[in-house]
Amino acid sequence: MDITLPILILAIPITMFLVLGIGGVKMSHKMAGFLGIIGMGTTATLAYIVAFTYFFSGDPLFIIDGVRQQYQVFDVTWLAFTQHLVVNLGFLLDPISAMMLIVITTISFMVHLYSWGYMEGEQGFQRYYAFLSLFSFSMLGLVVATNIFQMYIFWELVGVSSYLLIGFYYKLPSAVSASKKAFIVTRFADLGFLIGILLLSFYTDTFDFISLTSNPESVLASTGGATFMGASVLTWAMVLIFTGGMGKSAMMPLHIWLPDAMEGPTPVSALIHAATMVVAGVYLVARMFPVYCVVDAALTFVTCVGAITAFYAAVVACAQIDIKRILAFSTISQIAFMMVSLGCAYDHPVEGVHYAGLGYMAGMFHLFTHAMFKALLFLGAGALIHAVHSNNYTAMGGLRKYMPITHWTFLIGCLAIAGIWPFAGFFSKDEMLAAMFSRHWFWGAWMTMVAGLTAFYMFRMYFMVFWWEENPHYKEHKPHDAPWQMSLPLLFLAAVSCVAGWIPFGEFVTWDGAPYHIHIELSVAATSIIVALAAIGLAAAMYMKKNEMPSKVKAIWPGLWTAANRRFYWDEIYMFITHKIIFGIICKSIAWFDRHVIDATMDAFAKVTQKSSYAIRGMQSGEIQTYVGWYIAGAVALAAVTWLCLI
């Protein structure tokens, strides 16, 4: 493959960032938006060409005997630490990187187009498009990285660009606080990621993905059985690497930044939550999947963290009134769903399981479908906020009559995420649940319950927004559908959410590159649909028309409702730890020691020096007789010392 197209995929977004960032102030809003859209549209076109070439060309570089290969389009040396430990910069094509090229560029282009209407007239419009381009460049560089150190570099660039986008409204204290929160929390997670990378590279002498994943048993053997605190060094390395994924993908207990990230513009929320930043953790585990498979403890850890996070986020979403926060917790839950699916995959044939890597394929399938319908839901939420000027569903109700395009597209998104046939989410969710049941019935039953909660809180929001009693303010300000720049992405993503599930995904993306024909597990599918329909029915009974049922439910479990509404007090816990323990006790003690011991010691040295200088300054009187006297005294003293040493 010619390296021109892959280079342009990375070069165009970073060029647009520089052009809009440096020269944007000289441009009109329309010109800046037009350049950003054209740049991202061109990047998306090139990404589609590269991905389709990889999947459909039949080139021996990409597929051999029906097995898709990992192909390094280019790989140049950047840093050479030792003969074996070398950091390269390159472009890796394989099933998941090609799939991610499609996902990232599609969602990013839709967000660019949507923002042209949504952000019209906003101060800093040019800066906004510059940040979007930087974010897209960072994510594209992350997914095509040929080695884990290159991935880490772009991983940090994603963190920086997300900080800029979340804090776009920098004059709002809440936006500034949210951006700092996201940056700090993910930095702590990334520290673990970096330590894990260093541990892994120390024992394997490589950063290269192909070297690490082609023969994972050799990676395990390279540690020589070294252990630390009862676990192998490789286990620690992979768990620490996963902490980076926990931060980016907002897994418990590093999830607190994501709901607050809603302070950024709504299109940014769609970009971060749908296809890019939050799926980076899932992509990391998928990229290192063969290594995780030889470290069963680390893979079990991934599964447990995902299962707990999925349930927690789903419960919290049931008690929120801000539609963007509901979608934020929905994202946390769905990302955790993918983590559990990866954790339930095998890398070897297992009796009674029709495909060992089903969990891997299903997780990637859901990453693809979720990106489409979650972007649809966030952009639909943006259209609602644009119409009623509020994030809370309490300011909405009965909007189906006023906003038909938004209503129908939002309904498609809700049906897709609830896993209702024939929408996209049904197919990917069925495969994930099948993988979980094949691993252990507990994981399947647990995540089926989470899927039911998902259907409930999504349709709770849908009915409250579109069916509940109309807001009286509609008489003063009549809501209406968004302009075409915003409606077109909604229609496109709705269409994709309807048909994406019918793509034979297993023919293209599997853990070992071998094609797999998806089989619908009828028992699993029937169970999940029944659970979803029951949850939707309950939501309809409670929230389709104004009634007393929601108040009665709150009255039955007031403590649970309050706790869920307050996110089970995780923010308060972190504030207590940081302000009371870290700042109030640890930092205060360190400050006292610094001020009263270290500073006092230095002050004492200064005072002694000062007083000594005052005491001996008479020696520098300027009188020749005094100098001669001191000279003679010094000579005598020196002679005496010399005599004593010689006798």
Side-chain angles (χ1 to χ4, degrees):
M1 174 182 282
D2 186 10
I3 68 171
T4 304
L5 293 186
I7 289 177
L8 286 174
I9 289 173
L10 297 176
I12 293 174
I14 192 64
T15 302
M16 296 312 302
F17 164 68
L18 295 173
V19 169
L20 294 171
I22 298 173
V25 291
K26 305 290 185 182
M27 303 177 187
S28 66
H29 285 197
K30 286 190 176 182
M31 177 56 70
F34 179 77
L35 286 177
I37 293 169
I38 291 297
M40 199 63 240
T42 305
T43 304
T45 302
L46 298 177
Y48 270 75
I49 293 172
V50 170
F52 276 65
T53 301
Y54 177 82
F55 284 125
F56 299 109
S57 68
D59 193 315
L61 292 172
F62 309 138
I63 186 168
I64 300 175
D65 297 329
V67 178
R68 301 194 183 278
Q69 306 296 305
Q70 291 183 311
Y71 175 66
Q72 292 182 344
V73 180
F74 64 89
D75 200 40
V76 296
T77 300
W78 180 41
L79 297 172
F81 296 103
T82 67
Q83 181 181 356
H84 302 288
L85 197 59
V86 179
V87 179
N88 291 349
L89 294 176
F91 193 107
L92 177 63
L93 264 183
D94 69 349
I96 57 171
S97 65
M99 181 267 293
M100 288 300 294
L101 286 177
I102 294 174
V103 171
I104 293 169
T105 55
T106 300
I107 302 301
S108 186
F109 177 66
M110 291 294 107
V111 168
H112 275 72
L113 180 59
Y114 183 93
S115 298
W116 205 15
Y118 188 89
M119 299 296 291
E120 185 179 4
E122 287 279 0
Q123 186 179 1
F125 187 88
Q126 303 93 329
R127 173 169 54 90
Y128 171 80
Y129 268 91
F131 292 165
L132 283 184
S133 297
L134 178 63
F135 191 96
S136 302
F137 164 74
S138 305
M139 271 306 302
L140 289 168
L142 189 155
V143 299
V144 300
T146 58
N147 59 82
I148 196 168
F149 201 87
Q150 180 186 346
M151 175 185 276
Y152 180 77
I153 294 169
F154 283 97
W155 189 278
E156 295 298 334
L157 275 176
V158 169
V160 171
S161 52
S162 66
Y163 167 80
L164 296 172
L165 285 169
I166 296 169
F168 175 76
Y169 299 119
Y170 61 89
K171 293 182 179 179
L172 294 177
S174 57
V176 174
S177 176
S179 62
K180 290 193 295 183
K181 190 177 187 179
F183 189 81
I184 293 170
V185 172
T186 53
R187 292 296 70 73
F188 275 106
D190 294 347
L191 176 62
F193 187 16
L194 180 60
I195 296 172
I197 292 173
L198 296 176
L199 272 176
L200 187 64
S201 61
F202 177 81
Y203 284 98
T204 60
D205 280 336
T206 185
F207 293 113
D208 189 70
F209 282 131
I210 294 178
S211 301
L212 290 169
T213 59
S214 59
N215 188 14
E217 286 77 13
S218 65
V219 176
L220 180 62
S222 65
T223 62
T227 61
F228 178 72
M229 295 180 64
S232 70
V233 170
L234 185 58
T235 299
W236 280 108
M238 299 314 295
V239 168
L240 286 168
I241 288 173
F242 177 62
T243 60
M246 289 172 63
K248 278 288 190 291
S249 294
M251 299 290 100
M252 289 181 67
L254 302 174
H255 65 285
I256 60 170
W257 67 269
L258 191 60
D260 291 339
M262 299 298 98
E263 293 294 337
T266 300
V268 170
S269 302
L271 189 61
I272 291 176
H273 288 240
T276 50
M277 184 175 175
V278 294
V279 301
V282 179
Y283 180 82
L284 172 64
V285 176
R287 174 60 69 199
M288 298 294 293
F289 177 73
V291 183
Y292 275 102
C293 285
V294 299
V295 190
D296 192 59
L299 202 60
T300 302
F301 180 73
V302 172
T303 308
C304 293
V305 169
I308 295 170
T309 303
F311 178 72
Y312 160 80
V315 172
V316 173
C318 293
Q320 302 300 305
I321 62 172
D322 186 313
I323 59 173
K324 289 179 67 176
R325 292 189 185 275
I326 294 172
L327 293 176
F329 281 103
S330 169
T331 297
I332 296 173
S333 185
Q334 293 299 299
I335 296 296
F337 226 117
M338 302 173 205
M339 289 291 192
V340 177
S341 183
L342 286 169
C344 290
Y346 300 88
D347 68 336
H348 57 274
V350 178
E351 187 178 351
V353 180
H354 54 82
Y355 172 55
L358 179 60
Y360 178 98
M361 186 278 298
M364 295 298 98
F365 192 14
H366 197 64
L367 188 156
F368 178 80
T369 60
H370 174 263
M372 303 304 165
F373 57 69
K374 182 53 62 71
L376 168 62
L377 289 167
F378 265 110
L379 296 184
L384 293 169
I385 295 167
H386 189 267
V388 301
H389 307 290
S390 175
N391 290 20
N392 290 356
Y393 65 62
T394 53
M396 305 175 190
L399 286 174
R400 70 188 187 283
K401 296 186 294 184
Y402 302 96
M403 305 176 68
I405 295 176
T406 307
H407 168 235
W408 286 109
T409 54
F410 201 90
L411 177 59
I412 289 171
C414 290
L415 290 169
I417 197 172
I420 303 300
W421 187 91
F423 299 96
F426 164 79
F427 298 92
S428 55
K429 186 179 77 170
D430 176 76
E431 297 301 306
M432 287 194 297
L433 290 175
M436 295 164 193
F437 274 112
S438 68
R439 188 76 175 192
H440 196 281
W441 67 266
F442 173 79
W443 298 123
W446 181 269
M447 298 310 293
T448 299
M449 175 183 62
V450 173
L453 287 172
T454 302
F456 173 78
Y457 66 69
M458 289 304 303
F459 275 87
R460 167 182 176 265
M461 177 175 60
Y462 165 75
F463 288 125
M464 289 293 291
V465 170
F466 294 102
W467 289 83
W468 195 262
E469 185 179 74
E470 290 187 15
N471 193 306
H473 294 296
Y474 295 171
K475 296 177 182 178
E476 303 172 5
H477 178 75
K478 188 176 179 181
H480 56 84
D481 272 316
W484 71 269
Q485 301 99 321
M486 298 169 64
S487 296
L488 186 59
L490 294 179
L491 294 169
F492 174 81
L493 291 169
V496 175
S497 299
C498 291
V499 303
W502 298 93
I503 297 173
F505 195 84
E507 304 289 336
F508 304 108
V509 180
T510 56
W511 83 271
D512 57 358
Y516 168 72
H517 182 68
I518 293 175
H519 299 84
I520 299 295
E521 294 283 349
L522 294 179
S523 60
V524 174
T527 302
S528 66
I529 287 180
I530 291 171
V531 170
L533 290 176
I536 293 171
L538 179 61
M542 293 179 66
Y543 300 104
M544 192 169 186
K545 300 292 183 182
K546 191 173 183 179
N547 60 83
E548 299 299 320
M549 285 185 65
S551 301
K552 291 180 179 178
V553 172
K554 287 185 202 178
I556 296 174
W557 296 296
L560 176 61
W561 179 269
T562 303
N565 184 256
R566 299 287 297 273
R567 314 177 201 176
F568 289 95
Y569 307 101
W570 272 101
D571 285 280
E572 286 81 357
I573 292 170
Y574 270 94
M575 290 296 290
F576 175 80
I577 293 172
T578 54
H579 284 250
K580 298 295 184 181
I581 298 177
I582 297 177
F583 296 151
I585 299 176
I586 299 175
C587 292
K588 192 174 181 180
S589 301
I590 294 173
W592 183 92
F593 183 82
D594 178 67
R595 186 165 50 255
H596 292 89
V597 178
I598 297 177
D599 285 353
T601 302
M602 295 298 104
D603 291 343
F605 279 127
K607 288 179 180 179
V608 169
T609 303
Q610 185 182 43
K611 290 184 178 182
S612 300
S613 67
Y614 277 113
I616 65 175
R617 65 182 179 177
M619 298 172 64
Q620 299 290 327
S621 63
E623 297 178 355
I624 300 293
Q625 303 92 318
T626 303
Y627 294 160
V628 171
W630 281 112
Y631 176 80
I632 294 171
V636 171
L638 182 62
V641 171
T642 304
W643 181 76
L644 289 172
C645 292
L646 292 175
I647 61 172

